[in-house]
Structure formats: C-alpha cells, structure tokens
C-alpha cells in the first residue's frame, strides 16, 4: 500500500468529499480502524465470527460441466454459500464489530439488491445494535422478500421515494441520517465506495475472499500456482476488490505456468489478469446502463472522486446490486492504469448466464454474479486463458421473481 492509498487516495481517486460536520466522525472512524482493526485481538474475533457465524471458508468449486463446454478450466469461489446468501456478510461483520468497540449502538445502511441490508440486519441482531436500512422504493419492490427478511430480524426499513428510487438515492438518505446522528450511529457502507476510510476498510474486510481462494487454488494438484484470470461483477466493487487483492502483486512462475498457457498469446511470469463485469443494462453505448468504467467520466459522487456514468445516461441494470451510477475509487484507479479490464455485460447476457449456470452446474447464481459468469464464458470462448477464477458473489434465491417474469418454463 502506498502512502497515498493509506490516506484513501488511489492515484487521485478516492479522498473525502463531504460536508464539514462529517469530517470529524470520519476521522474518528479512520483512527478507530487504523488502531483497532489490525490488532490480534480484533482479527481473532473477526475471524471467529467469519467462521462460526458466516460459514467460512467457502469452497473453491471446479465447474466441470461449464469448463468442458467452453474449453477453459473455470473455478467458482462459492460466496453464494455464505450465511445470508452473499459476500456482504464479510464486510458487515468487520464493520459492526468495529462499531461496537467504538461505542456506537446504532447501525444504518443503504442497500440495493437487499443483500447488504439483510447482512446488516443479521449483524445488528447478532450484536444487539439498533438497525435502520435505507432502500430505494423501486428496489424494495423488486426485492420484497429481502425487505421482509430485514424486518424479521428487527431492522427498520425506510423505502426512499426521491430521485430514481434506487441505490444512489438510498445512499443520499443514509448520508443525511449519518450527518444528523454521528454521535451514536455507525454508517455501515456496503461496498468499497464513499469517503475515506470506507473504500480501504471494506476492501480489507472483503480480502478474505481472495486470500482463501489463493490458498485453495495452490492446493489444487492439476493447475499452476495462480489462475490465469480472475473475474468478478462490479457494482460498487467490493466482491471484485475482495477477490483481486490477494492476486494483485503476484506473478505466475514459469515452473508452474500451465503447458497450454505456452500456446496462448501471453508470456509466462504474467500477472493474474483481472476482469470486471459491470451492469451493462441495455448496452454500455446505450442510454440505460450502470457501467461507469466501460463508459463514463471522472466525477465526484457520495463523498469520493471516481468514475460516474454520463449525465445523459439513466442508471439501469437488471440486477439491483449493480444498479449504481458510480464505482469504488480503487477500481477507477485500476481502470486508469490498465490493471483491470472492465466490460459492460448486458441484461440479456447476464440472464442467459444465469440460466446456463443453473442448467449446467445446478447452481442458481445471483443476477449480479451472473454478469461475472457471462464474462468468464466470453473469456473462455476467446481461448486466451486456461484457468479462470470467478467470484460467485451470491445466490439467486432473491431473484426468483425477476427470473420468473423473464423465463417461461
Ligand atoms: C450478490 C451480489 N453480488 C454483487 C453485488 C455488488 O456489490 P459489490 O460490487 O460491492 O460486490 C451485490 C450488491 O448488492 C450483490 O448482492
């Protein structure tokens, strides 16, 4: 980590663009994070909860049927098997444990697909913290079952009716609440977005995904030491950063690079290549998408400098969790320096992948994760990577109603 990153700056992206009253509570949070989170005691408590409450480690699964069909070895990191059905619980446990130690007795959060809201409600109940969730009305309607789950666990759910009634509007409402209640409230941000310290804090809590996957991959007998490619969907970008981080600075060695790889265009000693699948909606060139990296511009949103979709574009994705106009600043940096390639996967492509994984592997992915599956299939078809590691960030149970409207079975 460079000095600039440790202050939340990612090569000019990130930072803290918030009104004055929020500066101090964010300073306090950053200090609490820097002082507490790296201690052995906190880490032991966090790891214990990840194991006993969330269900870690999650398996690394070789998707043999899909691999056979497309001619590349495709591995799925099964975050869909976690308690609550998605990777969101990793971050929620980390932040809630930190908030409790900092003496906060109230959690607030924004949610799009509802998975982060559900995970926040779970940790709120677990640790006895009052919990309030902000959710755009449009999202609350398409994820009604998740709203019910949150309420069942004692959280209050506020349906936000301003703007497009989506995730960005829920973030605005949560930020306002935070500004008014900084003394007793922790804003449990759900992705690697927002003002410092959230992007680096959420990344660190989600890095367990890549750390585990790296070790599991190295224990496989039939592959090289690292996968050729790592693929994840990108909403705010937390499951993607969580997967990528452990592979960011590694290089595959010539002894362990696979034989087939020698025929591919790329040379040995390559880094693991990163691919981000954004919500391409009706196409990244259309006027309805959620792909600020594939097609967007630098701007400031929700307290950070990052990439944002163009003004004349309506934010849209079939998956509520990718339906966000901005993206985490570390991804904006990866994009700017060419470390990761970002592609808008259309609604149609994601729905096809949703169905294909269900049929070939017996695994129903979340619509968000289906974007990553679609991108992995494209890469396998292109034939440049022998081993592809995909983060299956969540399960599709929450998407049954949307799917039932799209498919006649
Ligand atoms: C299953 C799943 N995957 C991915 C995302 C997108 O979030 P992020 O990009 O922060 O991983 C969400 C968000 O709700 C989600 O529920």
């Amino acid at each position: 980590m460079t000095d600039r990153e440790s202050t939340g700056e990612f090569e000019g992206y990130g930072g803290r663009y918030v009104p004055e009253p929020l500066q101090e509570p964010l300073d306090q949070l950053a200090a609490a994070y820097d002082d507490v989170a790296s201690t052995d005691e906190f880490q032991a408590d966090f790891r214990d909860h990840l194991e006993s409450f969330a269900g870690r480690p999650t398996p690394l699964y070789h998707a043999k049927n899909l691999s056979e069909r497309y001619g590349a070895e495709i591995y799925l990191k099964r975050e869909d098997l976690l308690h609550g059905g998605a990777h969101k619980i990793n971050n929620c446990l980390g932040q809630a444990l930190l908030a409790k130690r900092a003496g906060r007795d109230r959690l607030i959060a924004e949610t799009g697909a509802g998975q982060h809201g559900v995970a926040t409600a779970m940790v709120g109940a677990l640790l006895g913290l009052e919990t309030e969730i902000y959710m755009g009305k449009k999202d609350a309607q398409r994820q009604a079952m998740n709203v019910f789950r949150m309420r069942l666990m004692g959280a209050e759910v506020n349906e936000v009716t301003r703007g497009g009634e989506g995730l960005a509007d829920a973030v605005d409402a949560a930020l306002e609440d935070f500004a008014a209640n900084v003394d007793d409230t922790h804003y449990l941000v759900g992705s690697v977005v927002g003002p410092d310290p959230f992007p680096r804090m959420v990344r660190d809590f989600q890095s367990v995904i890549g750390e585990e996957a790296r070790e599991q991959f190295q224990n496989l007998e039939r592959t090289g030491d690292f996968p050729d490619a790592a693929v994840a969907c990108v909403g705010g970008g937390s499951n993607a950063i969580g997967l990528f981080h452990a592979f960011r600075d590694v290089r595959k060695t010539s002894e362990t690079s696979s034989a087939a790889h020698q025929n591919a265009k790329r040379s040995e000693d390559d880094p693991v290549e990163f691919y981000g699948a954004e919500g391409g909606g009706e196409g990244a060139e259309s006027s309805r998408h959620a792909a600020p990296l594939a097609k967007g511009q630098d701007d400031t949103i929700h307290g950070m400098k990052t990439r944002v979709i163009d003004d004349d574009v309506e934010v849209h994705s079939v998956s509520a969790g990718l339906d966000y106009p901005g993206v985490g600043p570390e991804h904006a940096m990866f994009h700017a320096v060419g470390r990761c390639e970002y592609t808008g996967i259309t609604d149609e492509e994601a729905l096809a992948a949703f169905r294909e994984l269900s049929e070939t592997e017996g695994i129903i992915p979340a619509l968000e994760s289906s974007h990553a599956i679609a991108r992995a299939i494209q890469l396998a078809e292109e034939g440049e990577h022998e081993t592809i590691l995909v983060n299956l960030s969540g399960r599709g149970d929450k998407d049954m109603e949307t799917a039932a409207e799209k498919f006649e079975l």
Side-chain angles (χ1 to χ4, degrees), residues 86-88 113 115 191 233-239 321-322 366 368-369 393-394:
H87 67 295
K88 298 287 180 186
Q115 292 303 89
S191 190
C233 67
V234 178
S238 68
N239 86 90
L322 303 189
E368 291 79 11
S369 325
S393 55

Side-chain angles (χ1 to χ4, degrees), residues 13-270:
Y13 293 103
R16 193 188 280 172
Y17 297 82
V18 292
E20 194 48 41
L22 284 183
Q23 293 288 357
E24 206 197 318
L26 289 170
D27 274 341
Q28 285 172 7
L29 178 61
Y33 179 64
D34 292 339
D35 290 348
V36 175
S38 56
T39 62
D40 290 346
E41 197 201 340
F42 180 87
Q43 282 299 321
D45 197 19
F46 179 45
R47 300 279 154 175
D48 181 49
H49 279 89
L50 284 176
E51 200 181 305
S52 58
F53 187 72
R56 301 209 74 89
T58 60
L60 180 69
Y61 172 70
H62 185 202
K64 292 196 191 66
N65 299 333
L66 203 64
S67 300
E68 211 164 282
R69 183 176 290 185
Y70 290 103
E73 300 309 323
I74 299 174
Y75 292 87
L76 306 179
K77 181 60 177 160
R78 298 289 308 273
E79 296 295 293
D80 60 313
L81 294 178
L82 283 174
H83 180 35
H87 67 295
K88 298 287 180 186
I89 187 65
N90 304 323
N91 167 48
C92 286
L93 277 171
Q95 285 197 53
L97 289 170
L98 194 65
K100 182 114 181 162
R101 275 166 200 248
R104 301 288 189 270
D105 50 25
R106 179 171 177 262
L107 298 176
I108 58 169
E110 82 297 332
T111 194
Q115 292 303 89
H116 175 57
V118 167
T120 305
M122 290 184 326
V123 296
L126 171 75
L127 300 177
L129 301 168
E130 185 189 333
T131 305
E132 199 160 333
I133 308 293
Y134 290 91
M135 188 170 192
K137 192 165 181 217
K138 183 180 77 177
D139 292 339
Q141 278 163 355
R142 59 180 164 172
Q143 297 294 346
M145 204 47 76
N146 270 343
V147 174
F148 187 73
R149 290 162 88 197
M150 289 177 236
R151 290 184 171 141
L152 198 58
M153 287 182 281
E156 191 176 320
V157 181
N158 267 310
E159 295 187 17
V160 178
T161 51
R162 67 177 81 170
E165 302 184 338
L167 183 54
D169 310 294
V171 175
D172 287 336
L175 277 169
E176 282 169 21
D177 180 322
F178 185 43
N181 298 293
V182 286
D183 291 339
D184 68 341
T185 298
H186 174 74
Y187 180 8
L188 207 164
V189 171
S191 190
V192 285
V193 296
D196 181 71
F198 289 110
R200 61 190 167 99
M201 181 168 72
V202 177
R203 174 198 62 203
D204 294 349
F205 288 141
Q206 290 291 7
S207 292
V208 63
I209 302 172
E211 284 161 18
E212 259 176 37
R214 189 167 93 166
E215 200 180 320
Q216 289 165 325
F217 203 87
Q218 284 172 331
N219 289 337
L220 297 172
E221 276 175 20
R222 50 180 308 282
T223 60
D225 51 358
F226 299 116
D228 295 330
V231 186
C233 67
V234 178
S238 68
N239 86 90
I241 288 285
L243 179 71
F244 295 163
H245 202 57
F247 297 100
R248 185 175 164 180
D249 298 319
V250 302
R251 300 225 153 224
K252 292 174 285 174
T253 59
S254 35
E255 290 80 32
T256 49
S257 285
S258 60
H261 185 221
Q262 290 166 19
N263 297 325
K265 276 191 205 151
R266 297 152 53 248
S267 65
E268 291 169 355
D269 288 355
D270 278 338

Side-chain angles (χ1 to χ4, degrees), residues 360-382:
T360 55
E361 298 289 347
I363 298 172
I364 304 176
L367 282 174
E368 291 79 11
S369 325
S370 302
H371 289 68
I373 299 293
R375 186 68 187 116
I377 289 173
Q378 288 175 354
L379 291 168
E381 281 181 318
E382 285 163 19

